[in-house]
Amino acid sequence: MHSLDIFTRDIIQNALQAIADEMFAAMRKAAMSPIIYEVLDMGTGITDAQGDIASSGAGIPAFVGVLDKAVKQILKHHHADEIEDGDVFISNDPHDGGAVTHLNDVVLAMPVFADRHLVAWTANIAHWNDVGGMVPGSLSTEAVDIFQEGLRLASVKLISRGQPIRSVLQILRANSRMPDFMEGDLWAGIAAVRGGALRLQQLNSKYGIDLFLQAMRDFMDLGEKISLKALATLPGTTLSLSEPQDDASVFKVGITISHTEMLIDLRDNPDQCAGPVNLSRDGAVVAAQMTFKALTAPQGVTNGGTFRPLKVLTRPGSLFDAQAPAAEGFYFENMIRVYDLLLRCLATAFPERLPAGNFASVCATIIGGVHPDTGRLFTLVEPEIGGWGAEPGRDGNNAMYSGLHGETYNCPVEICEARYGLYVERMTLNDEPGGHGQFRGGRGICIDYRVRSDASFMTCGYTRSVVPPWGLQQGEPGSLNYVEVIRQHSDVRERYAMASSVPLNAGDLLRVRTGAGGGFGPPGKRCKDAVRDDLKNGYVDAATACAVYGVQG
């Protein structure tokens, strides 16, 4: 055992975080698609040689949780002598590639060698606009198996000893409707993993392989200690919850908390379906990991050791442990359903730690067609922002991304209008009522997209379109997520939540509405001055202020 003082350990551990953040910045600056460089629909990280996450970079929490699983799958598919210095692997298959999400989310991973020893991996994941399949954008609510959703890449070697494998690049280009965007985003990801690998090699040269590896082991042990310390402060308890969903199915969870473990049981849930909302087991595990982190030590370190005290039970062939060839294009809606289900179950026992329900949907909005100015195909892929739930002493946040997304951003109007064949005519807070309470839920948004060209289309994947976000401690439920299509020269409004390839023509209007979060505490206890501020800001109207809060406008 080599001696590792606390100062050197901290320097190496902070260097790992800085390297992961630098990878994120490089990828953002080089990417071609706004979904990556504006929305930041991506994530970066570093794993140890065995694939356990050593440092989570910036990006979507659910994406960072994917990277270790993808690297472990690469190690499973390739013998040690097939993994060489300079290699880069590509993967996107939730059934056999460790990507755990859907085919549009592509992982790039690079082994890092020091003195010919494999010491770590750099990895990233990002949403690609189109990977083939039955519809533009590769996401269809009508897909019944994964073969209809695009090109599957199960831990494929893309670059060998520093040299691109041309045949693989040709396959990628031939299977995308937007090959230029695909290739631009691909090389941005490659640049990021290569840059991170170089930094890690420099770190090993400075401190030596043994100290570097020991620092990573110590860091993971620290992650475990922080989780166990947090669990020790919680009362031992067993919880369960059943919750109806938009489609009338019922999701169930059991949670057992002890001083040394959190056990999450998702086995008693519906069978996998013939649609695209299935979730892989690893996807369910990522949702459980985020929940575990939110309850235990949300500000503490996150690495492979953090989740050692977490155990997740699933049933193969169920909606949360889908088997091939299940379609998973809209996996994210059931991933966030699992996450929200777990939070709701825990919030009943720990209302002081967790807020009321939020709009809890990615609200994926996909609009495509031919750009009227350039004649090029475009595909806008826009996750939407919505209202978060209230908590003790605090109103919910307005217009934030869901818990799966972390610190991501909506696409700026200027970029949207320049890159896509659309006008954004309005973006305001949603004025539909909901989320009343002593502390109110945050407001969702209302966005109007005006279509500029004929033969366009819209695909959407929203949940919480029937069952609203839940309130806590007598707080009222929030409001719903949905999309309206308002045809030019017509007053008829078509309402959608899960739909594919809805035809659109020039002049048609898409109106997106995302929900308010749930309220916390009885509405009658809300401070009168706060209600008046709500009136002033348009969060409630005079009738609601009078009927719900007892305050005259």
Side-chain angles (χ1 to χ4, degrees):
M1 179 69 69
H2 294 267
S3 176
L4 179 64
D5 63 86
I6 189 173
F7 303 106
T8 303
R9 184 195 68 190
D10 285 352
I11 289 170
I12 293 174
Q13 291 168 359
N14 283 299
L16 291 174
Q17 186 64 50
I19 292 167
D21 289 342
E22 183 179 321
M23 289 165 56
F24 187 89
M27 192 170 176
R28 179 183 186 180
K29 289 180 179 179
M32 190 166 179
S33 298
I35 187 68
I36 300 177
Y37 70 74
E38 290 288 354
V39 178
L40 307 184
D41 199 349
M42 62 177 184
T44 60
I46 296 167
T47 79
D48 66 9
Q50 293 74 42
D52 290 314
I53 197 77
S55 178
S56 56
I60 294 176
F63 273 10
V64 174
V66 165
L67 298 176
D68 56 339
K69 299 163 185 64
V71 170
K72 288 178 180 179
Q73 199 70 8
I74 291 169
L75 289 165
K76 179 180 176 181
H77 278 288
H78 298 270
H79 295 297
D81 57 2
E82 296 176 323
I83 300 173
E84 301 176 282
D85 196 4
D87 289 352
V88 176
F89 295 85
I90 185 169
S91 187
N92 74 339
D93 190 345
H95 293 305
D96 198 33
V100 318
T101 55
H102 60 182
L103 299 183
N104 289 81
D105 296 333
V106 181
V107 175
L108 295 169
M110 184 173 189
V112 180
F113 287 83
D115 292 336
R116 292 186 283 187
H117 289 88
L118 177 62
V119 295
W121 290 77
T122 56
N124 59 56
I125 180 173
H127 183 102
W128 287 8
N129 288 313
D130 190 282
V131 290
M134 63 191 293
V135 296
S138 308
L139 295 174
S140 171
T141 59
E142 298 175 2
V144 297
D145 62 48
I146 199 166
F147 299 108
Q148 296 175 317
E149 296 181 326
L151 178 66
R152 298 172 67 187
L153 301 161
S155 307
V156 174
K157 185 179 287 193
L158 173 69
I159 293 177
S160 179
R161 303 174 71 176
Q163 297 301 311
I165 301 174
R166 296 295 173 188
S167 56
V168 177
L169 291 175
Q170 288 170 340
I171 291 170
L172 292 174
R173 284 190 62 88
N175 281 275
S176 176
R177 296 174 179 86
M178 305 174 70
D180 294 343
F181 282 83
M182 179 280 298
E183 198 158 21
D185 296 337
L186 170 69
W187 284 103
I190 292 171
V193 293
R194 281 176 163 174
L198 177 61
R199 291 284 187 260
L200 288 174
Q201 288 167 339
Q202 293 169 342
L203 197 62
N204 274 272
S205 296
K206 183 174 183 179
Y207 293 102
I209 294 174
D210 291 337
L211 287 183
F212 173 80
L213 294 177
Q214 187 173 337
M216 282 204 293
R217 288 194 296 268
D218 288 355
F219 195 34
M220 292 188 195
D221 290 342
L222 176 62
E224 182 181 20
K225 290 176 182 177
I226 290 173
S227 293
L228 289 172
K229 183 178 179 180
L231 281 175
T233 68
L234 301 176
T237 184
T238 298
L239 307 168
S240 63
L241 179 71
S242 298
E243 183 184 63
Q245 304 300 309
D246 287 355
D247 63 358
S249 63
V250 177
F251 291 171
K252 299 177 182 179
V253 63
I255 301 176
T256 301
I257 299 174
S258 70
H259 292 328
T260 58
E261 183 182 74
M262 178 185 289
L263 173 66
I264 293 175
D265 190 345
L266 294 166
R267 290 175 294 181
D268 187 16
N269 277 294
D271 292 341
Q272 66 188 61
C273 67
V277 295
N278 296 289
L279 184 64
S280 67
R281 170 179 160 77
D282 281 341
V285 170
V286 170
Q289 288 176 335
M290 291 190 297
T291 308
F292 178 83
K293 188 66 177 169
L295 181 67
T296 54
Q299 305 304 322
V301 300
T302 303
N303 56 42
T306 300
F307 304 111
R308 289 173 186 166
L310 174 65
K311 186 175 182 180
V312 182
L313 302 178
T314 57
R315 176 174 60 85
S318 69
L319 200 60
F320 305 146
D321 190 348
Q323 306 297 298
E328 297 203 13
F330 287 85
Y331 82 96
F332 44 81
E333 286 307 309
N334 271 337
M335 189 174 188
I336 201 169
R337 294 271 59 76
V338 173
Y339 181 47
D340 196 55
L341 180 74
L342 297 175
L343 289 178
R344 183 174 186 177
C345 185
L346 290 167
T348 59
F350 304 101
E352 74 286 353
R353 288 176 176 256
L354 298 170
N358 64 76
F359 77 113
S361 174
V362 172
C363 293
T365 309
I366 303 168
I367 309 172
V370 177
H371 199 295
D373 299 330
T374 65
R376 297 183 67 180
L377 289 173
F378 74 88
T379 304
L380 165 69
V381 183
E382 182 80 297
E384 307 290 3
I385 50 183
W388 276 55
E391 57 187 280
R394 190 172 182 277
D395 291 342
N397 289 322
N398 299 326
M400 299 287 288
Y401 271 116
S402 70
L404 293 188
H405 272 91
E407 290 189 79
T408 48
Y409 302 90
N410 61 311
C411 188
V413 170
E414 297 83 357
I415 298 296
C416 184
E417 293 191 338
R419 298 297 295 268
Y420 307 118
L422 305 166
Y423 290 130
V424 182
E425 295 189 347
R426 177 172 67 154
M427 180 181 288
T428 65
L429 292 178
N430 189 356
D431 58 1
E432 293 182 324
H436 306 305
Q438 180 181 4
F439 302 98
R440 64 164 179 81
R443 312 311 298 174
I445 58 166
C446 178
I447 306 177
D448 286 354
Y449 297 102
R450 181 74 67 179
V451 179
R452 294 180 56 204
S453 56
D454 290 338
S456 297
F457 72 92
M458 182 272 293
T459 293
C460 62
Y462 291 30
T463 51
R464 287 268 181 244
S465 61
V466 177
V467 180
W470 38 276
L472 266 180
Q473 305 288 84
Q474 302 178 55
E476 294 189 2
S479 59
L480 303 174
N481 306 307
Y482 61 94
V483 184
E484 289 180 317
V485 175
I486 305 170
R487 305 290 179 182
Q488 189 178 34
H489 309 307
S490 173
D491 293 330
V492 176
R493 299 190 176 193
E494 305 165 16
R495 182 162 170 161
Y496 298 97
M498 297 288 290
S500 285
S501 303
V502 177
L504 302 170
N505 289 309
D508 290 345
L509 184 78
L510 268 71
R511 176 163 294 162
V512 169
R513 286 191 183 271
T514 63
F520 186 99
K525 290 188 176 181
R526 186 163 180 78
C527 169
K528 305 305 179 186
D529 288 341
V531 178
R532 294 187 180 98
D533 286 342
D534 292 343
L535 274 165
K536 181 180 178 181
N537 292 321
Y539 299 149
V540 297
D541 56 26
T544 302
C546 181
V548 177
Y549 296 108
V551 174
Q552 298 295 325

